[in-house]
Amino acid sequence: MSAPMLEVAGLRKAFGSLIVTDGVDLSLAAGERAAVIGPNGAGKTTFFNLLSGELKADAGTIKLDGQAVTALSPDRRARAGLARSFQKNNLFADMTVLESLATAILVADRRMRVFWRSFGRDKALSGRAVDVAELVGLADDLETTVKHLSYGTQRQLEIGLALVGRPKVLLLDEPTSGMSPEETGAMKALIAGLPAELTILLVEHDMDVVFDLAHSITVLDYGQVVAVGTPNEIRQSAVVREIYLGTDAA
Amino acid sequence: MIPARITKRDPLRAVILILLFGAAFVGAPVANHYWLEILTEIGILLIFVVGIDFLVGYTGLITLGHAGFMGVGAYSLVWIAHIQGIPVSIAMPLAILAGAVVAVIVGMLVTRVSGVFFIMVTLAMSMLFYSWAFKARRPFGGDDGLSVAGTIRLDLSSIGIDLDDQLTFCLFVLVIALLIYLLFEWLVRTPFGQTLGAIRQNENRVRALGCPVGVYKVAAFTVAGAVAALAGALHVQSTEFLHPNVSYWIKSGEGLIIVIVGGMGTLVGPVIGTFLFVLFHKGVESLTTHWQFWMGLTFIVIVIFAPDGIYGRLRTLAGSRKRKRKLHQPLDEEADVRADA
């Protein structure tokens, strides 16, 4: 078996005396679709922020494709191939969809310092932006200003912006939060349709989404990993049922 | 289908620019001493103000200390040319360079904070400079100022241009102002400018995309600082008198007001604002000593009725005319979007 694409070992984070991430291990193979679940306050978001670099871990290591990224800032992790979406839409509200994607692509391409060429007339750039828009189902909204998009469509753009850097690993923070059932279905189809070589880690509340998309599931509770397994194993795990699904669920 | 352009054209700005600069260039040769002074002041203020708009309107760095860099430019030029006796043609680029260097250092400090704190720290930085200049009796004359007549004007006689002639100097300043405007107009349309705009709209997202945001803020601060130093160097050449007031916070505040009233993040709006500000100032000043009161009142009215600034209002008016013509198309964009999702 090849080396893991994302490998987390002994990750730990405390806020004062409160330990929110307590020795978490996680290993994802290339192209794997994995999910982290857990009840409210289990430390999912903290774990996510430790991975993306918004928070610095107290101890432990994070390796991306064999390279240690534990000490890197969020922007350097992004450049190393670790992209993230945000739980709340985090977009360029006053740009059009096309402009947003083109801007994201130029940043991902490290062409920010180019001050001698036109941005607006860059055909190659707009061509690539259109490709990404098609990938996330936004081809018909190119000229729409982002703040005028519906919530679900904004979530699609959110994923699109995370994809522009052709990342190795995509971290999705509750991609279906706040969505209607139809929007959730569309988002599920969108994630399932992403390139097979892309490694994806979901942090998600919606059980249907997790069980449909993930090959493996890691369950967190009080900052610790309490179970790891396939969706079936997790569904049948007594521990998980008790802490997460509730004792009545079966 | 790939759209031809990523961003939309804005033909209105070219029209306004041609009208304003056209009037200045046509008016200057027939202007008397008083009006040449006004036009020169407009040109210098314009250089200062478009730099502020680049920072405030494009990068989202709201500075209340930008006049500090005018001070750096003016004092550097006087020190190098008037006191050290180095030719102005060498001293002027050095003064601009000094503005850039100071801006890099100050920029690295101030961009660590944001929002109100950024406003206050930039204000404090410029006032540090002001209070130093205020006390610097030797060699700058402190708060009495320093007359630098005869030693501070750029000498372009080798190419047949006599900047001691008031009209020539005025045209020289206006040409530089136009070039600086075009420089910024160009910068904001490049990938670099687009990145700055993205940082203004959503800094965290840009960082998540892999951009070292701080570096780009400092870069923007440096460009604007160098340009303000150029404005300061031209200002002291124009008045031939050096005074700490060039860096006083009220100058920074006026610049910010002009940007807001003209239309933040449009570049051409602040150009309109500069013309109006100077003309209004001179006009009201000749009628009453309380010109600042009337100016303030006017600005309040403008901000209430044109929250996007004068240019924002003009663009809305032009846009709504266009929309009315298109109104027969029953297109509800939002409904379409919802159906897609």
Side-chain angles (χ1 to χ4, degrees), chain A residues 102 105 109 111 117 119 121-131, chain B residues 2-4 6:
Chain A
I105 289 169
D109 280 5
R111 288 199 287 140
R117 287 178 51 183
F119 166 77
R121 291 194 298 267
D122 191 331
K123 291 255 170 55
L125 195 59
S126 64
R128 284 174 56 198
V130 171
D131 289 344
Chain B
I2 298 171
I6 299 171

mmCIF file of all heavy atoms in Angstrom, chain A residues 102 105 109 111 117 119 121-131, chain B residues 2-4 6:
data_model
loop_
_atom_site.group_PDB
_atom_site.id
_atom_site.type_symbol
_atom_site.label_atom_id
_atom_site.label_comp_id
_atom_site.label_asym_id
_atom_site.label_seq_id
_atom_site.Cartn_x
_atom_site.Cartn_y
_atom_site.Cartn_z
ATOM 1 N N ALA A 102 -11.835 33.246 -11.197
ATOM 2 C CA ALA A 102 -10.613 33.682 -11.879
ATOM 3 C C ALA A 102 -9.628 34.253 -10.862
ATOM 4 O O ALA A 102 -8.421 33.986 -10.934
ATOM 5 C CB ALA A 102 -10.947 34.718 -12.952
ATOM 6 N N ILE A 105 -8.088 31.443 -8.940
ATOM 7 C CA ILE A 105 -7.117 30.703 -9.750
ATOM 8 C C ILE A 105 -5.790 31.456 -9.808
ATOM 9 O O ILE A 105 -4.717 30.877 -9.669
ATOM 10 C CB ILE A 105 -7.664 30.462 -11.174
ATOM 11 C CG1 ILE A 105 -8.802 29.441 -11.122
ATOM 12 C CG2 ILE A 105 -6.562 29.955 -12.105
ATOM 13 C CD1 ILE A 105 -9.585 29.317 -12.399
ATOM 14 N N ASP A 109 -2.323 30.098 -8.503
ATOM 15 C CA ASP A 109 -1.190 30.005 -9.436
ATOM 16 C C ASP A 109 0.014 30.833 -9.000
ATOM 17 O O ASP A 109 1.002 30.897 -9.716
ATOM 18 C CB ASP A 109 -1.598 30.532 -10.828
ATOM 19 C CG ASP A 109 -2.366 29.497 -11.618
ATOM 20 O OD1 ASP A 109 -2.655 28.437 -11.052
ATOM 21 O OD2 ASP A 109 -2.671 29.762 -12.786
ATOM 22 N N ARG A 111 0.262 34.068 -9.010
ATOM 23 C CA ARG A 111 0.528 35.148 -9.955
ATOM 24 C C ARG A 111 0.079 36.493 -9.409
ATOM 25 O O ARG A 111 -0.168 37.433 -10.151
ATOM 26 C CB ARG A 111 -0.191 34.854 -11.283
ATOM 27 C CG ARG A 111 0.484 33.724 -12.053
ATOM 28 C CD ARG A 111 0.092 33.752 -13.498
ATOM 29 N NE ARG A 111 -1.276 33.310 -13.680
ATOM 30 C CZ ARG A 111 -2.137 33.857 -14.530
ATOM 31 N NH1 ARG A 111 -1.779 34.882 -15.255
ATOM 32 N NH2 ARG A 111 -3.361 33.387 -14.640
ATOM 33 N N ARG A 117 0.313 42.785 -16.552
ATOM 34 C CA ARG A 117 -0.644 42.241 -17.510
ATOM 35 C C ARG A 117 -2.057 42.509 -17.031
ATOM 36 O O ARG A 117 -2.300 42.733 -15.863
ATOM 37 C CB ARG A 117 -0.427 40.737 -17.657
ATOM 38 C CG ARG A 117 0.831 40.426 -18.435
ATOM 39 C CD ARG A 117 1.059 38.942 -18.523
ATOM 40 N NE ARG A 117 -0.128 38.245 -18.989
ATOM 41 C CZ ARG A 117 -0.182 36.920 -19.089
ATOM 42 N NH1 ARG A 117 0.837 36.195 -18.729
ATOM 43 N NH2 ARG A 117 -1.268 36.343 -19.527
ATOM 44 N N PHE A 119 -5.818 41.684 -16.003
ATOM 45 C CA PHE A 119 -6.556 40.580 -15.403
ATOM 46 C C PHE A 119 -7.849 40.314 -16.177
ATOM 47 O O PHE A 119 -8.161 39.182 -16.523
ATOM 48 C CB PHE A 119 -6.873 40.924 -13.945
ATOM 49 C CG PHE A 119 -7.906 40.029 -13.322
ATOM 50 C CD1 PHE A 119 -7.581 38.758 -12.901
ATOM 51 C CD2 PHE A 119 -9.210 40.470 -13.161
ATOM 52 C CE1 PHE A 119 -8.522 37.929 -12.327
ATOM 53 C CE2 PHE A 119 -10.159 39.649 -12.596
ATOM 54 C CZ PHE A 119 -9.820 38.376 -12.178
ATOM 55 N N ARG A 121 -8.831 40.750 -19.176
ATOM 56 C CA ARG A 121 -8.837 40.238 -20.544
ATOM 57 C C ARG A 121 -8.072 38.919 -20.685
ATOM 58 O O ARG A 121 -7.765 38.495 -21.789
ATOM 59 C CB ARG A 121 -8.229 41.281 -21.484
ATOM 60 C CG ARG A 121 -9.091 42.510 -21.668
ATOM 61 C CD ARG A 121 -8.619 43.328 -22.837
ATOM 62 N NE ARG A 121 -7.270 43.818 -22.646
ATOM 63 C CZ ARG A 121 -6.976 45.005 -22.134
ATOM 64 N NH1 ARG A 121 -7.949 45.817 -21.778
ATOM 65 N NH2 ARG A 121 -5.739 45.390 -21.986
ATOM 66 N N ASP A 122 -7.758 38.271 -19.559
ATOM 67 C CA ASP A 122 -6.981 37.039 -19.600
ATOM 68 C C ASP A 122 -7.883 35.870 -19.994
ATOM 69 O O ASP A 122 -8.594 35.304 -19.187
ATOM 70 C CB ASP A 122 -6.337 36.797 -18.224
ATOM 71 C CG ASP A 122 -5.312 35.677 -18.257
ATOM 72 O OD1 ASP A 122 -5.461 34.759 -19.083
ATOM 73 O OD2 ASP A 122 -4.373 35.722 -17.446
ATOM 74 N N LYS A 123 -7.820 35.492 -21.261
ATOM 75 C CA LYS A 123 -8.719 34.450 -21.805
ATOM 76 C C LYS A 123 -8.441 33.087 -21.180
ATOM 77 O O LYS A 123 -9.353 32.330 -20.870
ATOM 78 C CB LYS A 123 -8.549 34.354 -23.327
ATOM 79 C CG LYS A 123 -9.084 35.568 -24.056
ATOM 80 C CD LYS A 123 -10.407 35.240 -24.733
ATOM 81 C CE LYS A 123 -11.074 36.493 -25.252
ATOM 82 N NZ LYS A 123 -10.212 37.265 -26.159
ATOM 83 N N ALA A 124 -7.139 32.780 -21.017
ATOM 84 C CA ALA A 124 -6.790 31.471 -20.454
ATOM 85 C C ALA A 124 -7.362 31.346 -19.046
ATOM 86 O O ALA A 124 -7.901 30.313 -18.658
ATOM 87 C CB ALA A 124 -5.271 31.316 -20.427
ATOM 88 N N LEU A 125 -7.261 32.451 -18.310
ATOM 89 C CA LEU A 125 -7.759 32.467 -16.936
ATOM 90 C C LEU A 125 -9.273 32.276 -16.913
ATOM 91 O O LEU A 125 -9.801 31.455 -16.155
ATOM 92 C CB LEU A 125 -7.375 33.797 -16.285
ATOM 93 C CG LEU A 125 -7.480 33.919 -14.772
ATOM 94 C CD1 LEU A 125 -6.602 32.882 -14.108
ATOM 95 C CD2 LEU A 125 -7.053 35.311 -14.333
ATOM 96 N N SER A 126 -9.989 33.005 -17.767
ATOM 97 C CA SER A 126 -11.444 32.860 -17.730
ATOM 98 C C SER A 126 -11.847 31.475 -18.231
ATOM 99 O O SER A 126 -12.817 30.900 -17.741
ATOM 100 C CB SER A 126 -12.136 33.984 -18.506
ATOM 101 O OG SER A 126 -11.821 33.946 -19.854
ATOM 102 N N GLY A 127 -11.052 30.906 -19.143
ATOM 103 C CA GLY A 127 -11.338 29.546 -19.589
ATOM 104 C C GLY A 127 -11.257 28.550 -18.444
ATOM 105 O O GLY A 127 -12.142 27.707 -18.277
ATOM 106 N N ARG A 128 -10.221 28.684 -17.641
ATOM 107 C CA ARG A 128 -10.072 27.763 -16.503
ATOM 108 C C ARG A 128 -11.137 27.998 -15.454
ATOM 109 O O ARG A 128 -11.619 27.062 -14.812
ATOM 110 C CB ARG A 128 -8.677 27.908 -15.907
ATOM 111 C CG ARG A 128 -7.630 27.224 -16.768
ATOM 112 C CD ARG A 128 -6.240 27.482 -16.268
ATOM 113 N NE ARG A 128 -6.083 27.080 -14.880
ATOM 114 C CZ ARG A 128 -5.084 27.498 -14.111
ATOM 115 N NH1 ARG A 128 -4.190 28.325 -14.598
ATOM 116 N NH2 ARG A 128 -4.988 27.079 -12.871
ATOM 117 N N ALA A 129 -11.505 29.287 -15.275
ATOM 118 C CA ALA A 129 -12.577 29.593 -14.318
ATOM 119 C C ALA A 129 -13.876 28.924 -14.760
ATOM 120 O O ALA A 129 -14.625 28.384 -13.932
ATOM 121 C CB ALA A 129 -12.752 31.106 -14.191
ATOM 122 N N VAL A 130 -14.133 28.944 -16.059
ATOM 123 C CA VAL A 130 -15.351 28.312 -16.568
ATOM 124 C C VAL A 130 -15.302 26.795 -16.326
ATOM 125 O O VAL A 130 -16.301 26.179 -15.949
ATOM 126 C CB VAL A 130 -15.539 28.631 -18.070
ATOM 127 C CG1 VAL A 130 -16.667 27.810 -18.660
ATOM 128 C CG2 VAL A 130 -15.810 30.115 -18.263
ATOM 129 N N ASP A 131 -14.105 26.188 -16.493
ATOM 130 C CA ASP A 131 -13.975 24.745 -16.218
ATOM 131 C C ASP A 131 -14.378 24.421 -14.781
ATOM 132 O O ASP A 131 -15.114 23.461 -14.531
ATOM 133 C CB ASP A 131 -12.519 24.292 -16.442
ATOM 134 C CG ASP A 131 -12.162 24.293 -17.926
ATOM 135 O OD1 ASP A 131 -13.104 24.350 -18.746
ATOM 136 O OD2 ASP A 131 -10.967 24.247 -18.240
ATOM 137 N N ILE B 2 -16.925 30.655 -23.172
ATOM 138 C CA ILE B 2 -16.047 31.465 -22.327
ATOM 139 C C ILE B 2 -16.319 32.948 -22.588
ATOM 140 O O ILE B 2 -16.197 33.415 -23.720
ATOM 141 C CB ILE B 2 -14.565 31.139 -22.619
ATOM 142 C CG1 ILE B 2 -14.296 29.663 -22.295
ATOM 143 C CG2 ILE B 2 -13.657 32.049 -21.835
ATOM 144 C CD1 ILE B 2 -12.948 29.183 -22.750
ATOM 145 N N PRO B 3 -16.706 33.671 -21.545
ATOM 146 C CA PRO B 3 -16.942 35.107 -21.738
ATOM 147 C C PRO B 3 -15.665 35.823 -22.164
ATOM 148 O O PRO B 3 -14.566 35.426 -21.791
ATOM 149 C CB PRO B 3 -17.391 35.585 -20.355
ATOM 150 C CG PRO B 3 -17.773 34.348 -19.624
ATOM 151 C CD PRO B 3 -16.942 33.243 -20.187
ATOM 152 N N ALA B 4 -15.837 36.872 -22.961
ATOM 153 C CA ALA B 4 -14.681 37.587 -23.501
ATOM 154 C C ALA B 4 -13.903 38.299 -22.399
ATOM 155 O O ALA B 4 -12.688 38.426 -22.474
ATOM 156 C CB ALA B 4 -15.133 38.583 -24.564
ATOM 157 N N ILE B 6 -13.469 39.038 -18.039
ATOM 158 C CA ILE B 6 -13.810 38.592 -16.689
ATOM 159 C C ILE B 6 -14.509 39.725 -15.944
ATOM 160 O O ILE B 6 -15.499 39.523 -15.265
ATOM 161 C CB ILE B 6 -12.537 38.152 -15.940
ATOM 162 C CG1 ILE B 6 -11.877 36.988 -16.676
ATOM 163 C CG2 ILE B 6 -12.878 37.743 -14.510
ATOM 164 C CD1 ILE B 6 -10.508 36.616 -16.164
#
